[in-house]
Amino acid sequence: MTLAVLLTAAAPAAQLRTGDGVPLRERLTTQLRAAGAREVVVTTELDEVARLAQSGETLLLCTEDLVAHTAVLRHLVTSPVGPTIALVLTDGVVGAAALQEERGQVTAVGAGLSGEPTGVFGGALRVGPEDLPTLANAARAVEAPGDASALDRLLTRFVQADTTIFAHRIRLLVAHRVTDQPGVVAAEAAVAAVDSDAAELKLSVKEKDDFFTTYFVSTWSPYVTRLAARIGLGPSGVTAFSVLFAIAAAVLFAVGDRPALVLGGVLLYLGFVLDCVDGQVARYTRRFSVFGGWLDTMADRAKEYLVYAGLAIGVERAGLGNGWALAIAAMVLQTVRHMTDTWYGALHDEAPRRPRAAGTAGGLGERLSRASTRVQADTGSLSYWLKRTVVFPIGERWALIALTVALFNPLVSLVAVLAWGVLAFAYTFALRTLRARAMRVPVMSTVDTPMHRDDGFLARLIGRAAVRRPGPLPLALVAVLAAAGLLAAALAQASGVELPWLAVLAVGAVLLLLAGGLGSGAPHAGALDWLVPAALRAAEYLFVIAVAVAAGVPGPFTFALLFVLTLHHYDLTARLEKRAAPRPLLASALGWDGRVLLLSAAAVAGVTGIAVAALAAYLFLMSAVGSIAGWATATPGARRAPGSTDSAHALAITADGAVEGRNG
């Protein structure tokens, strides 16, 4: 629930009236209730704000000089970004606090500005329970009244308390702060000139999206969004339909004849449209939930990888080659890419909250950052679209699959996905590494590092026992090399080369466990330590493939185990995005080290195939039970900004490392 606090002012603001002669504060009181506030408290005292903050209930603070669509206030109340979010406007008003933003966060207000302001405070601030104690302290510490309103002065003090405040900018809707009666008349005219419902439908479409989604989906998906809202189909219901479309497409790709491939391509496209519509429905109806966000994130990945499986079957049925090997490679590549995207995004959003490290000015990384910012600001230019497309986001991946499978065959689709994926990974990895070195911002040290590394008992034990060790990233890279060497040995043996496989396996497994485990207890404060989780994912996946290849495990079994592992790791990244608590039964997943040890023992015992199948089933069951139980009872936490006006109730990771709401 949300409690609204309307901070009134002395004359002349208190005397302002609407065109109907109603005092402005009365209309705002009505709007705040319509926006979702259970009660509106009208006060002039910040001490009263401090008292109300002690209740632990979300507060929506508003000044009485605000003229806006009710939808603007409703968006603040319902926004899934948070817990604290401030309305930011571009048009200035006397007394309103000027501010600066970076990556969707308010970084400075008033006297704290280091350069030109990027906006002004819009006179509305939502504060979630996590930040209420800081708000109460800030309210008590505000100095005597001056030219600025009480809420403007409170915001200034609030930002000085190092609170993470996300910026909420309006598009299409109207909001103005007014100082006199002519200003009220002009603002009301601007509000009346915009159809609120039509604007909200347009706002359900992301402001900045990728090329394919912008021009081949979002041009008509709002019609589907409005239909879904009218028949009462919620975001998760739309997600379910998109999953069904993707599964149907995968089945048709597996059949392999030309009509089936063409129809599968069409269904895949329509499934992606629905994948965009679920987010648009969430934004249009303001129906956000933590569970729904997790479900959408997991569904997106599951759909894509099931399509890879369908293509693999199609390749095998047509006798075109080893389809499962290609599908496994595509899935592993995409997952490792997503892991780097997740942590780079977290790193980039942590930077505005950190003081700039000495010596970070200049250099190639800094120049790349400035160039990237210029390109992103040049919306619609050729360079803008090239930058967004070259990273191979989900819309482009699905479009490539649909076109290549319909025009050619499943083999061409898998090869195309792999080829473009490798190029995109090389591009993003190189540029982000340089930029991260320039930023010098640690991010893994701000979270539960062992959880996000997916360390089990053995890795933590090795980490605690270590006295001196290299940094965690070099150790993780050694683990990757050990797993890659083991895979090379397994492929050599499968091709007929005589090798003492068990001895090679023992050396590779021990090296992997020691290298990865030694990094467990080390501080992850280096400029590039955000790469550690992705490196550990790569090491484990390569180890699984190596053991399966050496034992001749059928491709579908290996794919199934890796599929379950990727979903397990995506659940961890979703918890990073939403700052959620550890998953119930997480220890039952054994950790990457426990799974490596288990598969090694199975290989020695000669039961690798049974172990792969059993481990896949066991992990799926335990992960599903733990995830559903955890997310069904989770509440929204502080999470990083999506870089857009409204995020949807899911935060999915895109290939360019941005965090976006549901894909639409």
Side-chain angles (χ1 to χ4, degrees), residues 308 330 333 392 397 400-401 412-422:
Y308 291 171
L333 172 65
F392 204 24
R397 292 199 302 275
L400 180 67
I401 292 172
V412 173
S413 285
L414 284 174
V415 171
V417 166
L418 272 170
W420 195 342
V422 168

Side-chain angles (χ1 to χ4, degrees), residues 467-539:
V467 179
R468 298 186 65 181
R469 58 194 147 199
L473 181 58
L475 289 168
L477 294 178
V478 170
V480 174
L481 292 175
L486 198 60
L487 176 57
L491 291 171
Q493 177 178 273
S495 64
V497 178
E498 291 290 336
L499 289 174
W501 168 247
L502 291 181
V504 173
L505 173 63
V507 172
V510 168
L511 185 57
L512 193 162
L513 289 168
L514 285 176
L518 285 172
S520 178
H524 287 59
L528 299 180
D529 285 347
W530 55 275
L531 291 168
V532 169
L536 292 176
R537 301 300 81 85

Side-chain angles (χ1 to χ4, degrees), residues 173-193:
L173 295 169
V174 176
H176 294 289
R177 293 181 68 176
V178 296
T179 57
D180 51 30
Q181 197 59 42
V184 175
V185 173
E188 285 188 313
V191 169

Side-chain angles (χ1 to χ4, degrees), residues 124-210:
L125 175 72
R126 188 201 71 190
V127 184
E130 299 92 327
D131 291 336
L132 288 176
T134 307
L135 177 71
N137 292 333
R140 297 188 190 100
V142 170
E143 298 173 356
D147 294 335
S149 73
L151 189 52
D152 289 274
R153 288 180 282 117
L154 175 57
L155 177 69
T156 302
R157 177 68 68 170
F158 201 26
V159 172
Q160 290 172 352
D162 199 27
T163 308
T164 300
I165 301 176
F166 295 109
H168 179 93
R169 283 189 174 270
I170 59 170
R171 289 191 296 129
L172 304 181
L173 295 169
V174 176
H176 294 289
R177 293 181 68 176
V178 296
T179 57
D180 51 30
Q181 197 59 42
V184 175
V185 173
E188 285 188 313
V191 169
V194 176
D195 183 329
S196 178
D197 183 70
E200 288 197 87
L201 183 61
K202 291 181 180 179
L203 286 171
S204 70
V205 178
K206 289 180 58 190
E207 182 179 11
K208 291 184 179 182
D209 215 325
D210 302 311

Side-chain angles (χ1 to χ4, degrees), residues 445-462:
S445 57
T446 66
V447 298
D448 184 344
T449 303
M451 182 186 83
H452 288 292
R453 282 174 48 99
D454 196 20
D455 289 332
F457 173 78
L458 180 59
R460 298 184 192 217
L461 181 64
I462 295 172

